[in-house]
Amino acid sequence: MTRFSKNKSFYKIFFTLTASIALQNFIIYAVNLADNVMLGAYSQTALSGVALVNQFQFLLQMLITGVSEGIIVLASQYWGQKNISAMKKISSVGMLMGLIISIGMMVVTFTLPEQCLYLLTNDAAVVAEGAKYLRIVCFTYPIFAITNVLICTLRSAQTVKIGFIVSASALVFNIILNYVLIYGKLFFPAMGVRGAAVATLISRIIEIIVLLFYIIKIDKKLNLKLKDYLSLDKSFFRDYVKTAVPVILSSAVWGVAMGVQTAILGHMGDNTIAANSIATTIFQIVTVVTYGSANAAGVIIGKTIGQGDIPLAKQYSRTMQLLFLGIGITTGLVLFAVTEPVLHLYKVTAEALILSRHFCHILSITVVGTAYQMAVHTGIVRGGGDTRFVLIVDSIFMWLIVLPISAIAAFKFNLSPVIVFICLKSDQILKCAVAVVKVNRYTWIKKLTR
């Protein structure tokens, strides 16, 4: 067997999965961009308020991603064995976990919106705008959880196009409803941030309706039914908890850390909050292929190990490392090129615009590291069955290195937002060394199926 794969079917599957997942993520982030641009034109304070609320959405997204990736790790190996019954039982456990997390966050943010937002900033005007948005948008959390668990269950069986269709339907309705409800068009009153929240809620409802129609009427691979989610198998529950809890904790560590990062920048002023929101949104859109490739790697590696072909899994891992580097370099160049045209869409202060430009340029460099180490860790290593390693690496780098250094830079030495931002993103380069050693030792290959 050659060191790198020459199998055309591997490249076809990898790029098809990557493209489909990337398109889905692109549309999801395009919805956020539409919110940002329209709210930025309406009011910079509204933009900043929603940017802070999005940190709670990001935390939820990270937790539900952990739940969903736990499903993918196990279900992909069962898909390699064509064990559909086991895939359904794993998905049922994941659905329960997702609902517990999302409903818990909905209750907390609905009852204590101002208190939650004051954790991220001390700007009363920004908190007031954010609270208006949070009280409505929190009702999307359980819908988001159900939709993502179902999409990732289908993704485990290499069904990915429906994710794109679902997200596309949400994008269209979200943009139209944003325009109508934020500014008060077509006889509707101008609702500002509340309008943006209502638009997001309606879009989420449309998403889940489209997805359920596909599952009930079209999908033939898994044939998912409501009854599959009304019971739990204890043995599969134990399997899921053992595999998925480290993934969920890793996502939680990352999500909370992003909230802390936002809080550090949030205490450096309204312009810094707005700039971070703008740069992060652009970064998320440009890096959809990066995150799509990580998801594709997880499915491919999991299925290959489930089939019992360990030498092939090793060959795929070597090949994908080169692909990740190529994707990272390309993404960095694209991010640098699109920064200026996209920034012209925003109507914010000159200082916020300058900071946004600096933040984007920094990200265009660190994204090369992100594309490699993130895809290796969350795609190959986690997809291969070693779900604890990513938790350990993220915890050490984020909580023992990045956040302490960044907090000291911001609050003790009062360094500029640009220097603090560099500190916050430094782990994306540092973790590459760990990724190279881990992935090429192959200790991550673990067969998890019964």
Side-chain angles (χ1 to χ4, degrees):
M1 181 177 288
T2 58
R3 184 168 178 79
F4 300 103
S5 179
K6 296 181 180 179
N7 187 346
K8 291 182 179 180
S9 64
F10 160 74
Y11 291 99
K12 181 179 179 181
I13 293 171
F14 176 83
F15 286 112
T16 299
L17 286 171
T18 297
S20 299
I21 297 168
L23 281 172
Q24 178 191 345
N25 290 338
F26 173 80
I27 292 172
I28 291 171
Y29 294 132
V31 170
N32 292 340
L33 178 62
D35 280 353
N36 273 17
V37 171
M38 291 185 184
L39 284 170
Y42 179 80
S43 161
Q44 182 170 315
T45 303
L47 170 64
S48 298
V50 173
L52 294 184
V53 173
N54 283 341
Q55 291 306 308
F56 296 102
Q57 171 67 30
F58 180 76
L59 175 59
L60 175 71
Q61 184 177 329
M62 287 293 96
L63 292 171
I64 299 304
T65 296
V67 170
S68 301
E69 289 186 359
I71 294 173
I72 289 175
V73 170
L74 283 165
S76 294
Q77 292 198 13
Y78 280 116
W79 176 243
Q81 299 176 352
K82 298 299 181 184
N83 189 339
I84 305 302
S85 175
M87 295 178 70
K88 291 181 178 181
K89 291 174 182 177
I90 292 297
S91 181
S92 175
V93 178
M95 183 67 76
L96 175 63
M97 299 286 285
L99 286 174
I100 290 172
I101 292 169
S102 60
I103 292 173
M105 281 195 65
M106 179 185 73
V107 171
V108 171
T109 52
F110 179 77
T111 55
L112 302 168
E114 289 89 357
Q115 291 87 335
C116 290
L117 290 168
Y118 271 119
L119 295 173
L120 302 178
T121 185
N122 51 12
D123 190 320
V126 172
V127 168
E129 288 294 295
K132 297 175 187 175
Y133 184 82
L134 185 54
R135 282 195 181 95
I136 298 171
V137 85
C138 67
F139 290 104
T140 67
Y141 294 171
I143 303 173
F144 177 83
I146 295 170
T147 301
N148 276 269
V149 166
L150 292 174
I151 286 176
C152 286
T153 302
L154 294 171
R155 187 180 296 169
S156 301
Q158 295 178 251
T159 300
V160 291
K161 291 182 180 179
I162 181 58
F164 165 70
I165 295 170
V166 166
S167 299
S169 63
L171 174 64
V172 173
F173 281 97
N174 189 263
I175 290 176
I176 295 171
L177 291 171
N178 266 340
Y179 178 73
V180 170
L181 298 178
I182 291 175
Y183 301 114
K185 306 295 182 180
L186 300 178
F187 309 107
F188 284 90
M191 298 173 65
V193 290
R194 290 191 180 95
V198 171
T200 301
L201 177 58
I202 294 172
S203 299
R204 292 292 185 209
I205 293 171
I206 292 169
E207 267 188 340
I208 198 167
I209 290 172
V210 172
L211 178 59
L212 291 175
F213 176 83
Y214 176 84
I215 289 172
I216 294 169
K217 296 293 185 180
I218 299 174
D219 180 61
K220 303 300 180 186
K221 284 184 180 179
L222 300 182
N223 196 27
L224 295 171
K225 303 291 184 185
L226 178 61
K227 64 181 181 181
D228 297 323
Y229 294 91
L230 298 179
S231 62
L232 287 177
D233 185 300
K234 291 183 180 179
S235 60
F236 282 94
F237 180 83
R238 287 192 294 269
D239 289 350
Y240 179 85
V241 168
K242 182 179 178 181
T243 302
V245 166
V247 183
I248 297 170
L249 289 176
S250 179
S251 296
V253 164
W254 189 254
V256 172
M258 291 300 101
V260 175
Q261 288 194 16
T262 300
I264 291 172
L265 293 171
H267 286 82
M268 301 183 80
D270 186 25
N271 287 317
T272 307
I273 296 174
N276 184 46
S277 173
I278 293 168
T280 300
T281 302
I282 297 172
F283 176 79
Q284 287 174 333
I285 291 174
V286 174
T287 55
V288 291
V289 175
T290 295
Y291 287 90
S293 67
N295 280 276
V299 173
I300 292 170
I301 290 294
K303 180 184 177 183
T304 307
I305 293 173
Q307 291 171 334
D309 197 338
I310 305 305
L312 187 61
K314 292 180 179 179
Q315 184 193 69
Y316 285 169
S317 73
R318 291 190 292 268
T319 305
M320 286 190 283
Q321 288 180 68
L322 295 179
L323 295 175
F324 296 153
L325 282 173
I327 289 170
I329 293 170
T330 303
T331 302
L333 294 172
V334 171
L335 178 56
F336 187 84
V338 304
T339 294
E340 208 59 42
V342 175
L343 289 182
H344 284 305
L345 298 174
Y346 287 91
K347 295 180 180 178
V348 292
T349 65
E351 184 179 348
L353 206 61
I354 291 170
L355 282 175
S356 300
R357 184 178 296 111
H358 289 320
F359 289 175
C360 285
H361 289 167
I362 293 165
L363 290 170
S364 68
I365 297 171
T366 62
V367 72
V368 179
T370 303
Y372 177 76
Q373 63 82 16
M374 182 277 302
V376 164
H377 284 143
T378 66
I380 297 175
V381 173
R382 185 183 286 170
D386 191 346
T387 57
R388 295 182 182 181
F389 184 77
V390 180
L391 170 61
I392 295 169
V393 170
D394 283 346
S395 299
I396 291 173
F397 275 89
M398 187 57 69
W399 293 98
L400 299 182
I401 300 175
V402 169
L403 292 179
I405 290 174
S406 301
I408 291 170
F411 303 126
K412 182 174 178 61
F413 295 109
N414 295 315
L415 299 179
S416 71
V418 174
I419 299 300
V420 174
F421 194 80
I422 291 173
C423 294
L424 289 170
K425 302 305 173 184
S426 60
D427 64 313
Q428 298 304 304
I429 302 297
L430 297 175
K431 286 191 287 191
C432 289
V434 178
V436 169
V437 174
K438 176 66 177 179
V439 72
N440 292 301
R441 284 183 175 176
Y442 307 113
T443 55
W444 45 269
I445 298 177
K446 302 178 187 297
K447 192 165 184 178
L448 305 172
T449 53
R450 288 181 174 272

